[in-house]
Amino acid sequence: MEVAAQLLCLAAAVLVWGVLWVWGSWERMTRPEQAGLPGGGSRTLLVTAHPDDEAMFFAPTILGLARLRHQLFLLCFSAGNYYNQGEIRKKELLQSCDVLGIPPSNVMIIENRDFPDDPDVRWDPDRAADVLLQHVEANGIKLVVTFDEGGVSGHSNHVALNAAVRTLQAEGKLPKGCSVLTLQSVNLLRKYLCLLDLPCSLLLARDALFVLTQREAAQAQRAMSCHRSQLLWFRRLYMLFSRYMRINSLNFL
């Protein structure tokens, strides 16, 4: 009994230490500074494939950069017309961006046959790179944020955007001083741990980490709720359990 009591005390001490450590790290992550990121007033371009990507995957980054007073732009490479809902989804995107603090004048939606909303079509990374570069140069962008090589969900359109930014960087075409952050893909278990994934996110290597406060998490939920045409039962579960609605880990290319 005495040994069991000692082990219980030790476990409790470790648990308390862990909670305090995670809390302290979380507090640092919600402060308006992140090492290596451009300073306040920087112009940042979020590059997505479909309407709802911004809320479903990038809300912590958008709201975290807002803390840094970044001027945010969104470039969406399709209208999400896979089920012939393109016009509806464009309106939903603008509503979601409004909730997230991105004004309509800073939202650009591409409607081009070269970039269909179709998981079975691999977009040409060179063509996507040309379009992306035009928007970077036209808006004086200092930071580009997009998917990593896993595309979070593995969607081929997401992966193509990562290939596009890699092409620009490899060829040295990005303007001087413009950097690229990519959103880390994680395994299926971590993906649906929500805030329980925070210790892993803190311990594992990353260049930037954004964790939403309770108020910001509610804001992210409202943004995702704007995409009413997409709110099937499994996406409602996603909103409750996905870490991407609360936590974003990103790395520089």
Side-chain angles (χ1 to χ4, degrees):
M1 288 292 292
E2 184 178 347
V3 173
Q6 290 175 347
L7 289 174
L8 184 60
C9 289
L10 178 61
V14 170
L15 179 61
V16 170
W17 176 86
V19 169
L20 291 174
W21 179 78
V22 168
W23 179 260
S25 299
W26 178 80
E27 285 287 300
R28 290 192 294 274
M29 289 304 103
T30 56
R31 291 175 189 166
E33 67 265 351
Q34 289 262 14
L37 292 178
S42 297
R43 298 164 75 88
T44 294
L45 179 65
L46 173 62
V47 183
T48 63
H50 318 103
D52 78 12
D53 288 349
E54 80 296 333
M56 186 177 290
F57 304 120
F58 290 98
T61 297
I62 294 170
L63 297 174
L65 291 172
R67 293 188 212 123
L68 295 169
R69 297 181 176 83
H70 279 220
Q71 186 176 355
L72 293 163
F73 295 79
L74 174 68
L75 176 61
C76 185
F77 264 78
S78 79
N81 202 39
Y82 188 65
Y83 293 108
N84 298 314
Q85 295 177 309
E87 291 304 313
I88 294 172
R89 297 193 69 186
K90 284 191 293 183
K91 293 176 183 177
E92 292 174 344
L93 175 59
L94 292 174
Q95 293 168 358
S96 171
C97 286
D98 183 59
V99 171
L100 293 170
I102 305 176
S105 58
N106 288 8
V107 178
M108 294 144 282
I109 303 171
I110 296 174
E111 296 184 78
N112 189 308
R113 287 181 296 178
D114 291 338
F115 309 115
D117 173 14
D118 190 335
D120 296 324
V121 175
R122 177 167 169 76
W123 296 347
D124 182 350
D126 292 323
R127 175 70 181 125
D130 289 341
V131 173
L132 173 55
L133 183 59
Q134 292 173 14
H135 287 274
V136 168
E137 292 177 336
N139 293 288
I141 299 300
K142 293 298 182 184
L143 178 65
V144 175
V145 179
T146 193
F147 297 99
D148 70 359
E149 63 275 8
V152 178
S153 63
H155 197 297
S156 64
N157 299 164
H158 300 177
V159 174
L161 296 181
N162 179 265
V165 294
R166 286 182 178 276
T167 296
L168 291 177
Q169 188 172 67
E171 296 177 357
K173 290 183 177 179
L174 287 172
K176 185 177 180 180
C178 180
S179 52
V180 178
L181 268 179
T182 60
L183 180 62
Q184 280 187 0
S185 299
V186 298
N187 62 49
L188 190 63
L189 175 61
R190 289 188 61 200
K191 187 174 181 178
Y192 291 104
L193 284 177
C194 197
L195 273 179
L196 294 177
D197 185 63
L198 183 56
C200 287
S201 299
L202 290 166
L203 288 170
L204 298 177
R206 84 285 173 191
D207 293 321
L209 177 64
F210 295 108
V211 182
L212 296 185
T213 64
Q214 199 64 31
R215 180 184 61 79
E216 290 169 335
Q219 188 176 352
Q221 293 279 337
R222 290 197 305 274
M224 187 61 203
S225 295
C226 292
H227 295 281
R228 287 177 288 276
S229 67
Q230 306 303 301
L231 291 183
L232 304 175
W233 67 267
F234 56 88
R235 287 201 179 92
R236 292 185 184 277
L237 289 177
Y238 177 96
M239 291 170 64
L240 290 175
F241 296 108
S242 175
R243 75 186 289 276
Y244 290 101
M245 295 297 296
R246 293 297 295 263
I247 304 169
N248 276 179
S249 304
L250 304 102
N251 286 318
F252 284 109
L253 280 187

